[in-house]
Amino acid sequence: MSGARGLGSMVAPARSAAAPTAPASGPTAAAVAPVRAAPASPLDRQLAGLESAIASARGRVDEGLLDRLETGVHRSSARLRLSSSHTIVAIAGSTGSGKSTLFNALAGTRLSASGAQRPTTSVANALVWSEEDCAEMLDWLGVPAARRHLRADLPTGRGRDALPEGLVLLDLPDHDSIEVAHHAEAQRVVEMADLLIWVVDPQKYADAAIHHRFLQPLSGHRAVTMVVLNHIDEVPEERRTGMLRDLRKLLVADGMKDPRVLATSARHGAGMSELRTAIRRRVEQKQHVALRVEADVRSAADRLAKATGTAPTTVPDVWISDLERRVADAARVGSRVDRPAVDTAVRALVDNVCRDLTPAWSDPIRAAATERLKETDDRLDAELAGLRFQQRPPGWLSLLGPATGVASVAAVASVVLAGVAYVGGGALTLPLVAVGVTVALAVVLAVVARSARTRADAELDRAAETERRRVAGRVLRAHVVAPVNAELASYARLRRGLDAAKS
């Protein structure tokens, strides 16, 4: 992995000791296993949340990624236990960017070899601007004793107010060195620093490799990152403003909002006063330990979230209701269910749940929902086959048939009587009235009977639908929804951890 990636970048294995120690020289482990009681501070709660999320992802997400993230948690915990009155400021950059010259200019004396004179070394140089002992911190950083430059040991000609009290300034090996040890050391210490000063030069400030490998991974660490365009003296004055504007645009494209960019010439002193002021202001704020840890935790949480995806923590009721409806529609009382339709409905539910999940969680969820599909179909068949519905119309409806028949016979008789009266020359008023009344009664009774039967059939259909839904709901919740929710329970624990890490 390239560049500074906060929690989860490659570092040396964690140690279990409560306080970090190191040999007199050479790199040391970058992380120390946390020994924390119940979380008290917001940072402790964030770290505890991230630890919980990592534990919930075990067995599902790439173990290498989880190990790196956990090592980052240990590293952050170790830094919080060390001195909060010191701020670790690392000067990082590529070959030829002038890091060591910048380091020497800030120190006011030549402490680190630069240019062609620079020795092949894989360790950092440290300038400690403090009266307090910070040997434990330097041990943790892996800075050998021979590379530690204390303020008390420096020439006395320089003013004591040139740099802020509590500054631990590091000059790192070239981050793009062809020497693997140099690159690894620079990357290791970048992950441990509280504040990063990334140095670029006019020739390579737009190099895609620098931005992709080093600066883009720092995009979420804007609060603890400054970018310095060194060797500005080599750029004609009329081009300097445009070059700085171009560098800012590149950093914004890398994802860094409102990047902090300064222009310097370490050899000639241009911009050094502004850089010292910027360092002083940040060191005196004494916030960058917490800011760096918070940025690392958020970065790690984002990486873990990307490795898992997003989903509801339980199957939503509206999705369950839709599944029950579709399965009920695929069933008929007393008959077998339409198995392809049931399978399609179940898979549609799973697709909704897993839509934004990575295979780490979606594969187990799909398996939980579909591995018992045949058993689900068989159970639906068995329970639906036991359902029996008989139409039981109201008692008065059974009288409508005979009544309609009687009315029809009376209507026919009335017509016959009216015909006889007409042939015999008798009075027609009464027979015609009888015809009208009996015919109307027969029609009304027939309409009422038909309407009553239609309503009875509709009620029977509704009752059957309700019962099919009830059966489908009971079977599906046991065979599909419960197994999916069981898988989502572990995802819910991970989400709670991630939410706490980002809170």
Side-chain angles (χ1 to χ4, degrees):
M1 184 181 64
S2 301
R5 296 181 186 261
L7 288 168
S9 296
M10 291 295 292
V11 292
R15 294 175 304 201
S16 60
T21 59
S25 62
T28 63
V32 179
V35 182
R36 253 194 332 272
S41 72
L43 281 178
D44 284 330
R45 287 192 290 271
Q46 287 179 281
L47 285 167
L50 182 57
E51 283 182 306
S52 174
I54 292 170
S56 298
R58 291 289 182 186
R60 297 176 182 270
V61 177
D62 175 64
E63 291 295 327
L65 169 63
L66 297 178
D67 289 343
R68 292 191 292 273
L69 296 180
E70 191 169 57
T71 299
V73 172
H74 297 167
R75 181 177 60 245
S76 293
S77 299
R79 179 63 186 96
L80 290 175
R81 290 197 305 274
L82 293 169
S83 171
S84 61
S85 61
H86 292 88
T87 302
I88 304 168
V89 180
I91 302 177
S94 305
T95 304
S97 61
K99 298 185 309 302
S100 296
T101 305
L102 197 70
F103 177 80
N104 291 335
L106 289 169
T109 187
R110 187 173 179 274
L111 300 177
S112 184
S114 58
Q117 297 177 327
R118 188 167 188 174
T120 52
T121 178
S122 62
V123 295
N125 278 293
L127 169 64
V128 180
W129 206 262
S130 174
E131 298 297 337
E132 296 182 26
D133 178 37
C134 60
E136 184 183 19
M137 177 178 291
L138 295 173
D139 288 343
W140 179 68
L141 288 167
V143 179
R147 298 289 179 181
R148 303 177 184 184
H149 307 283
L150 306 181
R151 180 172 63 180
D153 299 332
L154 299 182
T156 58
R158 184 165 185 79
R160 289 301 184 183
D161 61 347
L163 293 173
E165 177 70 24
L167 170 66
V168 178
L169 187 66
L170 303 177
D171 177 30
L172 306 187
D174 297 332
H175 217 304
D176 61 348
S177 175
I178 60 174
E179 295 288 340
V180 175
H182 297 194
H183 169 82
E185 172 70 357
Q187 181 171 306
R188 183 185 69 85
V189 181
V190 159
E191 293 164 1
M192 304 171 78
D194 305 324
L195 177 63
L196 301 172
I197 299 176
W198 198 273
V199 185
V200 295
D201 63 86
Q203 285 71 41
K204 293 190 292 185
Y205 78 92
D207 189 332
I210 293 176
H211 287 266
H212 178 70
R213 294 176 60 192
F214 308 131
L215 294 174
Q216 285 181 11
L218 289 172
S219 61
H221 289 65
R222 181 262 179 195
V224 294
T225 303
M226 291 190 293
V227 178
V228 172
L229 178 60
N230 197 27
H231 300 315
I232 195 65
D233 56 294
E234 299 176 2
V235 181
E237 288 193 18
E238 65 274 12
R239 292 183 52 205
R240 294 177 185 177
T241 300
M243 183 173 290
L244 286 168
R245 183 169 55 247
D246 189 36
L247 175 56
R248 287 190 180 92
K249 288 181 179 179
L250 291 171
L251 293 171
V252 170
D254 291 335
M256 188 177 296
K257 297 179 180 179
D258 190 22
R260 301 165 177 175
V261 180
L262 294 174
T264 64
S265 172
R267 285 180 299 183
H268 300 288
M272 293 305 299
S273 176
E274 290 81 356
L275 179 58
R276 288 191 186 92
T277 299
I279 293 174
R280 170 179 290 281
R281 183 167 61 250
R282 286 159 178 77
V283 172
E284 290 178 345
Q285 288 174 347
K286 297 188 182 303
Q287 296 178 353
H288 282 72
V289 175
L291 289 174
R292 175 60 195 260
V293 170
E294 183 178 1
D296 283 351
V297 170
R298 287 182 176 274
S299 176
D302 287 341
R303 293 181 66 196
L304 185 52
K306 184 177 180 180
T308 58
T310 58
T313 53
T314 59
V315 181
D317 289 340
V318 66
W319 292 359
I320 297 175
S321 179
D322 182 66
L323 173 65
E324 293 173 353
R325 177 190 59 77
R326 295 179 64 175
V327 171
D329 289 345
R332 290 294 179 267
V333 174
S335 63
R336 297 172 63 85
V337 296
D338 183 345
R339 296 194 173 209
V342 173
D343 294 357
T344 298
V346 170
R347 294 181 189 280
L349 172 76
V350 175
D351 287 343
N352 281 333
V353 172
C354 299
R355 181 172 55 240
D356 297 317
L357 283 174
T358 61
W361 255 272
S362 65
D363 288 350
I365 289 173
R366 291 184 188 281
T370 59
E371 64 185 3
R372 299 175 64 189
L373 273 177
K374 183 179 184 303
E375 182 181 344
T376 301
D377 292 336
D378 291 343
R379 188 62 183 173
L380 285 169
D381 282 341
E383 295 215 15
L384 289 171
L387 297 179
R388 292 292 184 270
F389 291 94
Q390 294 182 352
Q391 189 171 9
R392 300 179 64 182
W396 60 266
L397 184 60
S398 61
L399 301 176
L400 285 178
T404 303
V406 171
S408 299
V409 170
V412 171
S414 298
V415 171
V416 171
L417 291 175
V420 171
Y422 177 75
V423 173
L428 294 177
T429 301
L430 185 60
L432 289 178
V433 170
V435 169
V437 169
T438 54
V439 169
L441 179 61
V443 171
V444 168
L445 289 174
V447 170
V448 169
R450 181 181 181 85
S451 176
R453 290 191 184 93
T454 300
R455 286 197 302 272
D457 290 342
E459 290 174 0
L460 180 64
D461 289 342
R462 285 194 295 271
E465 170 68 15
T466 299
E467 196 62 17
R468 289 198 303 270
R469 287 285 295 267
R470 184 183 63 80
V471 169
R474 183 173 61 248
V475 174
L476 292 170
R477 286 175 186 271
H479 289 247
V480 177
V481 178
V484 170
N485 277 337
E487 292 295 330
L488 286 175
S490 63
Y491 174 77
R493 290 192 294 272
L494 176 134
R495 289 305 316 178
R496 287 194 295 271
L498 292 179
D499 291 342
K502 294 181 179 182
S503 63

